[in-house]
Each structure stands twice: as structure tokens, then as C-alpha cells.
């Protein structure tokens, strides 16, 4: 039985009050940019476990997809910098705990994360275990199926090391995915290419 989202351990802090955003210098920043654009997402966040909780390790937000106008120009990914999510709770925590892909709407997120998502008009998110943590992508539009998500981290590293830095090999082909999933889709609809499973 999945834990109650209301029991998630979450702590929100304003980035201007002590959270230093060094994501631009993170070695995975460029990969997050590619992933966000390939999955037609507004943003990509890389969560890692720290002292039993999941925190934002790196993030990317598309500059051409502003979801809400603010005087401080804060983005959804920056607003998430102070969150600490419990393992096994919500789509991020469940993806980390089970290794399966998760998709959710803002209304079904743990309370504090839902509040931020709604404030920034984020309507759909998808998560998958990635690089020892969790990859989250999301959009201000309603996804009816999982977006394109990258495969295992070893393939990402190998692809990034290729001449020209091509990352094409990190994406699972639609044909191979459909052959694997068959008619087992929980939603009963066609699934976009991804590695993992749609959690019940």
C-alpha cells in the first residue's frame, strides 16, 4: 500500500533565503536541457537522496516556456529547491523506491509540491529512476501518456562521450517499446517511448 501523500516530509524555503542555485555548473545540466526538449517538457529536475530525503540536485527550465509571470522571475524548478520529499511518497519518491516510471497531475502530488505546481501552472509531471536518483519532467499542458524519457544512466554517459556529444542512443525507440508493452498499458492507451513501467 502506497504511503499517504500527506505524510510526505517536505520543507519549502524560498531560494532567496539561503538556497544557492548552482545548477548551471552541474555536469548533468546539458543532459537535462536535452531531455526537457526531447520530452516536450517545460523543465527537467534531477532529484538525489540526501540523509533519507530527496532533494533537487540539478535542474533546467526552458527559457522559452515561462508558465507564470513573476516580478522575481522565479521558475518552478527554482521554487522546488527547498523541498525535501520522502522516499516512497508521491511520483518522485515512488519512482526512486520502485524504479518504475510514474506519471501524475498536479492535483495528486504531495501537498507542498502540489501547491508549487499549481502556483506555476504545472499540470502534468513524469518521473523515472535515473543516474542513482530520479528524473522529473513536467509541463503546463495535460499529458495523456508518458513522454519520452531517457534509458539507463550508463547509456547516457556513453552517448555523451560520443563524438559530437550526440544523445540519440538514450531514447528507447517507439517500436521496441510497443513490442515490450503490448496491451499491458494501465491506461489502455498508446504509450510514448520510455524505459520503465507505468505504476498502477
Amino acid at each position: 500500500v502506497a504511503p499517504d501523500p500527506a505524510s510526505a516530509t517536505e520543507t519549502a524555503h524560498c531560494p532567496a533565503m539561503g538556497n544557492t542555485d548552482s545548477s548551471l555548473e552541474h555536469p548533468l545540466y546539458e543532459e537535462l536541457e536535452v531531455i526537457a526538449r526531447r520530452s516536450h517538457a517545460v523543465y527537467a529536475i534531477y532529484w538525489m537522496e540526501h540523509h533519507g530525503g530527496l532533494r533537487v540536485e540539478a535542474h533546467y527550465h526552458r527559457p522559452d516556456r515561462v508558465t507564470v509571470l513573476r516580478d522575481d522571475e522565479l521558475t518552478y524548478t527554482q521554487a522546488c529547491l527547498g523541498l525535501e520529499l520522502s522516499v516512497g511518497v508521491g511520483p518522485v519518491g515512488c519512482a526512486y523506491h520502485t524504479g518504475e516510471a510514474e506519471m501524475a497531475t498536479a492535483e495528486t502530488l504531495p501537498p507542498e509540491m502540489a501547491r508549487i505546481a499549481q502556483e506555476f501552472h504545472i499540470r502534468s509531471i513524469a518521473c523515472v529512476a535515473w543516474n542513482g536518483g530520479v528524473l522529473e519532467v513536467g509541463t503546463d499542458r495535460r499529458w495523456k501518456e508518458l513522454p519520452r524519457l531517457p534509458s539507463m544512466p550508463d547509456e547516457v554517459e556513453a552517448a555523451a562521450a560520443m563524438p559530437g556529444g550526440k544523445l540519440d542512443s538514450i531514447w528507447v525507440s517507439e517500436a521496441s517499446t510497443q513490442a515490450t508493452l503490448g496491451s499491458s498499458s494501465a491506461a489502455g492507451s498508446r504509450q510514448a517511448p520510455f524505459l520503465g513501467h507505468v505504476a498502477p
Side-chain angles (χ1 to χ4, degrees), residues 13-28:
H13 304 285
C14 175
M17 297 174 62
N19 283 317
T20 302
D21 183 6
S22 58
S23 192
L24 286 170
E25 302 172 0
H26 197 281
L28 289 177

Side-chain angles (χ1 to χ4, degrees), residues 46-79:
Y46 174 47
W47 298 84
M48 282 287 291
E49 182 180 1
H50 295 281
H51 306 294
L54 293 164
R55 291 179 174 271
V56 175
E57 179 74 13
H59 64 92
Y60 169 81
H61 195 290
R62 291 178 57 171
D64 60 330
R65 294 286 297 278
V66 178
T67 60
V68 62
L69 295 176
R70 296 172 54 106
D71 291 338
D72 58 7
E73 299 184 348
L74 192 73
T75 65
Y76 169 75
T77 59
Q78 292 171 328

Side-chain angles (χ1 to χ4, degrees), residues 16-120:
M17 297 174 62
N19 283 317
T20 302
D21 183 6
S22 58
S23 192
L24 286 170
E25 302 172 0
H26 197 281
L28 289 177
Y29 180 82
E30 291 184 359
E31 279 90 337
L32 292 177
E33 179 179 0
V34 171
I35 289 168
R37 294 184 180 278
R38 286 287 185 88
S39 60
H40 300 288
V42 171
Y43 69 88
I45 296 177
Y46 174 47
W47 298 84
M48 282 287 291
E49 182 180 1
H50 295 281
H51 306 294
L54 293 164
R55 291 179 174 271
V56 175
E57 179 74 13
H59 64 92
Y60 169 81
H61 195 290
R62 291 178 57 171
D64 60 330
R65 294 286 297 278
V66 178
T67 60
V68 62
L69 295 176
R70 296 172 54 106
D71 291 338
D72 58 7
E73 299 184 348
L74 192 73
T75 65
Y76 169 75
T77 59
Q78 292 171 328
C80 287
L81 287 175
L83 286 179
E84 180 177 314
L85 305 179
S86 296
V87 173
V89 177
V92 176
C94 287
Y96 183 80
H97 181 65
T98 67
E100 296 182 343
E102 299 274 342
M103 188 167 69
T105 60
E107 297 80 10
T108 63
L109 298 173
E112 187 59 34
M113 191 175 182
R115 182 190 65 78
I116 297 174
Q118 290 169 353
E119 179 182 350
F120 286 86

Side-chain angles (χ1 to χ4, degrees), residues 132-143:
V134 174
L135 169 69
E136 173 195 340
V137 295
T139 180
D140 55 350
R141 301 168 184 173
R142 184 73 72 183
W143 279 333

